[in-house]
Amino acid sequence: MSIAVETAPPEAPATRPTGLTAAEARARLRQYGPNAVDATPPDSWVRVLLRQFRSLIVAVLGAAAVASFVFNDRVEACAILAVILINASIGFGLEWQAQASMTALRRMGRATARVLRDDQVQAVPADELTIGDVLLLEAGEVVAADAELFEAQQLQVNESALTGESMPVSKKPDEPAAGAPMTDQPNRLFKGTAVVNGTGRAYVTAVGGGTQLGEIARLVQQAEPTATPLEAKLSRLTRQLILFTVALAAGYVAVGLWRGQPVGQLLEMAVVLAVAAIPEGMSIVATLALAYGMLRLAERRVLVKRLAAVETLGGTDIIFTDKTGTLTQNQMAVHTVWLPEARLGFPPKAEEAVAAEKALSGEACQLLLRAAVLCNNATYAPDSPAALGDPLEVALLALAHRHGFDVPATQAAERLAEQPFNSDTRLMATLHRLPGGQPWIAVKGAAEEVLRQCTAQHTATGPQPLAEPAEWLKRAEELAQTGLRTLGLACRVPTDENPDNLAHDLVWLGLVAFLDPARPEVIPAIEACRKAGIRVLMVTGDHPATALTVARQVHLAAEDDTTVVTGTDLAALLAHPETPDPRMAQTRVFARVSPAQKLDLISYYQQQGHIVAMIGDGVNDAPALKKADIGVAMGLRGTQVASEAAALVLRDDSFASVVVAVEQGRVIFTNIRRFVLYLVSCNLSELLVVMAAGLIGSGAVLLPLQILFLNLVTDIFPALALSVGQGSPRVMEHAPHSPQGPMMRPGDWRLAAGYAGLMTAALLGSYYLARHQAGFAPATATTILFYALALAQMVHVFNMAGVRTPLRHNDVLRNRYVWLAQALCTGLLLITYFVPLLRELLNIQPLTPLGLLFILVPAGAVLVLGQLLGYLIGRFQPEEHGRL
């Protein structure tokens, strides 16, 4: 899918080089609207708040609260409602953040633009530009609307934010070929791009939503993010638990009716079952676990905007990455210098360093560097980050500085004349008077044009006849085919200082090739992703040869890999996602891809069941960043639009930080799976205890308020401690967890059922002995059961390290937060016993030392037998199910 460029409708008044009149501008502004990107109004706080109550778990708890009110159990009803409000408050706080992608897009247009109106130059607000206005442009300005050039002098525009092309594009009034893509329209200017050189005048042809930027804005709006895999898995688990609870409650009521029990008593028991089965604190613990991971990543300069994104990146198995500014530094550097008698690569390899330094100090290379410095209008200083001018000229100055060439002394030579670069001659020439008084001409430009004016070449023995220019043209083509940009350099010592026709009878000095260099941390980061089972794919708007060269440079593609899929090929490859094309499984590089096609690629892999991350920094990446399961933006070099559309922002622009985030995401997912197993096994034990007591005729042995206290105190604090574990140091050596897999695998359900059965047997045994053998009153036996269940769940946390992990190597034991949770829960249980108000609310009865024994024994049994159960299950089930 390509993005069309809108032009002025045929009925629009004719444009003039002198611009519109004020009256025409007002009329057109009313007709075509402001030059602003349409914004979708954000949801109101009321809508965001109401959205927190749209879930099955809230519906079940709400029904339980209503039933409690009906049965006049107002304390229990208020407690249940409090749980609902706590969860809703947390969700509201997390969602109440501005969806600022469109705000950032509009902010790009909040500037002024210079136009001709009423035959005068005027500065008008950018959003008041209209079709037919004449824009005046010069270096340093941002193009305020899509426009068509009718006049240009050495005009160059940086379009990397829209196209991914790292080099500025030369613009001129030439007509493009019919149906030419955006990157091949030299007469077109696009809103949001930056003028880096020259001047120009252009007619505004599209404003607001009709611009390229407006089209991308619509794509951002349409690219609604889907629920993260973690959210989907937790939602699926919640539905399973609710359905299980409803089935059990219905079965219990049916059995009770068959036995002739009162309907009111049965419904009260159904409320107790509902409260017992639902892990009310699971969403809270998951949220706080992700928040803790967010803080860890913040210390590594990774800003997390959407909490669930942390875990999502941990499950990612495909990473799409932009090229310019992400894998590369978004600045040109000299890659190759090809002298008549030597070819130098930069930076030189270790084994070539000595030979390179010798060649650089030779006369031939010194002359080439002199020409590069003199035939140059850029400014560059090694100790200053600011550099102005053509990126290739900046790269030439950087090379000269880096290798000890005396740049200041050379630049002190007086410039007598200049023949500027233009599209006809395709070269630039300058005439200088060197410090000794000698005139000297420096020339650079397209290799074939410079060679056409050369009669000799400079070798180690001095100037020699240029015998085979075709060989140099072959070398230039060889470099260009690998995605490098080339310049030829030449010089001449004139007999006089005549500034006319500088470029003739030249001495060829050599070729210089340029490439946007790779970021140094990218290669080890990509290797780490490969070991972790993650495919890294480049998707860029740049030239295929350039993209493939960079991919090889960062080891994303093998040296013999020549596969590149371009945007024109994608439609056929993506036409049938149900029958994937084999080339898609082999391709590592996608080039000449539009923003809309990036969305198509992401959708394709998502339909194949992959979790897709997208890394980018430009405006053209914003829709894909929003559409991906996890969008990661570069925060330093990246555009504001990209940062606002992404879920993660790398504040150091380091690709290696992505690997850190992946590792942290995997640790968090392991921790979440661990505490989910803990909570499910604890809640199942509560459910089984209540069900078993009810079926044997003991009635409701636990009150709803007691169960709520257990779920929100003695369950939640140990679960929180599990959620902040440090994780295994080998977590990046395993493949990503399956995006289609459930939160609880079959092996996890068996383990949870085993733990729940063990706790139920120990607790019911203690309850039976306390009531029928020791002679405790029913209310006192219930108090014993309440504290026994709380203590059993507290020590059960030590069974969560893994079924193959012996107790002495249990990493839970080394988790200081687990011990803090144990101390906190113990203190809270003591408070419930000694504070009269809580004793009354929870119906706590006084206990004797014998009663304390009936509390401690089942807890000890749960710890000892839980370790044994984990060991036995670990021996007989597959490792994948045994590993937490």
Side-chain angles (χ1 to χ4, degrees), residues 167-244:
M167 278 294 296
V169 180
S170 295
K171 295 292 184 177
K172 50 191 175 182
D174 295 354
E175 281 291 330
M182 183 174 70
T183 50
D184 296 327
Q185 299 186 48
N187 65 327
R188 297 287 188 178
L189 301 174
F190 303 104
K191 181 178 173 69
T193 59
V195 179
V196 297
N197 191 43
T199 61
R201 297 189 177 196
Y203 298 117
V204 173
T205 58
V207 295
T211 62
Q212 292 281 333
L213 194 62
E215 177 65 23
I216 293 176
R218 282 195 292 273
L219 291 175
V220 173
Q221 287 179 317
Q222 297 165 6
E224 290 299 328
T226 56
T228 66
L230 174 63
E231 293 166 336
K233 290 179 182 188
L234 289 177
S235 177
R236 191 183 316 151
L237 176 61
T238 299
R239 288 196 301 270
Q240 291 172 340
L241 291 174
I242 289 174
L243 291 175
F244 180 64

Side-chain angles (χ1 to χ4, degrees), residues 323-377:
K323 177 184 72 69
T324 306
T326 305
L327 298 179
T328 67
Q329 299 176 22
N330 197 20
Q331 59 183 28
M332 302 304 292
V334 174
H335 178 274
T336 301
V337 172
W338 206 326
L339 302 168
E341 295 178 334
R343 177 175 177 174
L344 310 177
F346 295 93
K349 298 178 181 178
E351 62 272 17
E352 300 172 353
V354 175
E357 286 300 321
K358 182 178 180 181
L360 283 166
S361 61
E363 182 182 0
C365 192
Q366 290 293 301
L367 285 174
L368 182 142
L369 291 176
R370 179 196 289 177
V373 170
L374 290 177
C375 191
N376 198 308
N377 291 324

Side-chain angles (χ1 to χ4, degrees), residues 44-362:
S44 67
W45 68 269
V46 175
R47 180 174 296 182
V48 174
L49 182 61
L50 291 177
R51 190 158 52 237
Q52 310 310 314
F53 298 95
R54 298 174 188 169
S55 70
L56 280 174
I57 193 168
V58 170
V60 173
L61 289 176
V66 171
S68 296
F69 272 119
V70 170
F71 297 121
N72 208 29
D73 292 330
R74 290 184 172 81
V75 175
E76 287 83 354
C78 290
I80 295 172
L81 291 176
V83 172
I84 295 174
L85 291 176
I86 290 171
N87 282 334
S89 299
I90 293 176
F92 175 81
L94 294 173
E95 278 200 32
W96 186 242
Q97 50 182 306
Q99 297 298 317
S101 297
M102 304 312 301
T103 302
L105 286 167
R106 291 197 307 276
R107 195 173 294 126
M108 293 185 70
R110 288 178 184 168
T112 59
R114 293 184 305 120
V115 298
L116 281 177
R117 284 189 183 170
D118 294 322
D119 295 331
Q120 294 182 345
V121 177
Q122 299 182 19
V124 302
D127 57 3
E128 294 183 11
L129 285 177
T130 189
I131 292 175
D133 264 324
V134 173
L135 272 177
L136 306 181
L137 301 162
E138 63 181 26
E141 293 183 336
V142 175
V143 180
D146 285 8
E148 181 178 346
L149 273 175
F150 66 87
E151 181 181 308
Q153 291 81 37
Q154 302 183 36
L155 185 65
Q156 290 184 310
V157 178
N158 186 338
E159 297 180 343
S160 62
L162 285 176
T163 66
E165 184 83 39
S166 54
M167 278 294 296
V169 180
S170 295
K171 295 292 184 177
K172 50 191 175 182
D174 295 354
E175 281 291 330
M182 183 174 70
T183 50
D184 296 327
Q185 299 186 48
N187 65 327
R188 297 287 188 178
L189 301 174
F190 303 104
K191 181 178 173 69
T193 59
V195 179
V196 297
N197 191 43
T199 61
R201 297 189 177 196
Y203 298 117
V204 173
T205 58
V207 295
T211 62
Q212 292 281 333
L213 194 62
E215 177 65 23
I216 293 176
R218 282 195 292 273
L219 291 175
V220 173
Q221 287 179 317
Q222 297 165 6
E224 290 299 328
T226 56
T228 66
L230 174 63
E231 293 166 336
K233 290 179 182 188
L234 289 177
S235 177
R236 191 183 316 151
L237 176 61
T238 299
R239 288 196 301 270
Q240 291 172 340
L241 291 174
I242 289 174
L243 291 175
F244 180 64
T245 302
V246 170
L248 281 180
Y252 182 86
V253 171
V255 172
L257 291 173
W258 177 73
R259 295 169 58 178
Q261 291 179 258
V263 175
Q265 180 183 352
L266 292 174
L267 292 178
E268 285 188 72
M269 280 297 299
V271 171
V272 176
L273 291 173
V275 175
I278 297 174
E280 295 87 351
M282 186 165 63
S283 61
I284 298 175
V285 177
T287 297
L288 295 178
L290 294 172
Y292 185 74
M294 178 189 71
L295 294 176
R296 285 182 183 173
L297 288 174
E299 295 174 356
R300 301 295 295 270
R301 303 189 65 78
V302 179
L303 175 64
V304 181
K305 296 170 54 187
R306 189 180 177 194
L307 285 179
V310 181
E311 184 276 334
T312 305
L313 194 55
T316 296
D317 57 350
I318 287 183
I319 295 178
F320 278 117
T321 176
D322 186 29
K323 177 184 72 69
T324 306
T326 305
L327 298 179
T328 67
Q329 299 176 22
N330 197 20
Q331 59 183 28
M332 302 304 292
V334 174
H335 178 274
T336 301
V337 172
W338 206 326
L339 302 168
E341 295 178 334
R343 177 175 177 174
L344 310 177
F346 295 93
K349 298 178 181 178
E351 62 272 17
E352 300 172 353
V354 175
E357 286 300 321
K358 182 178 180 181
L360 283 166
S361 61

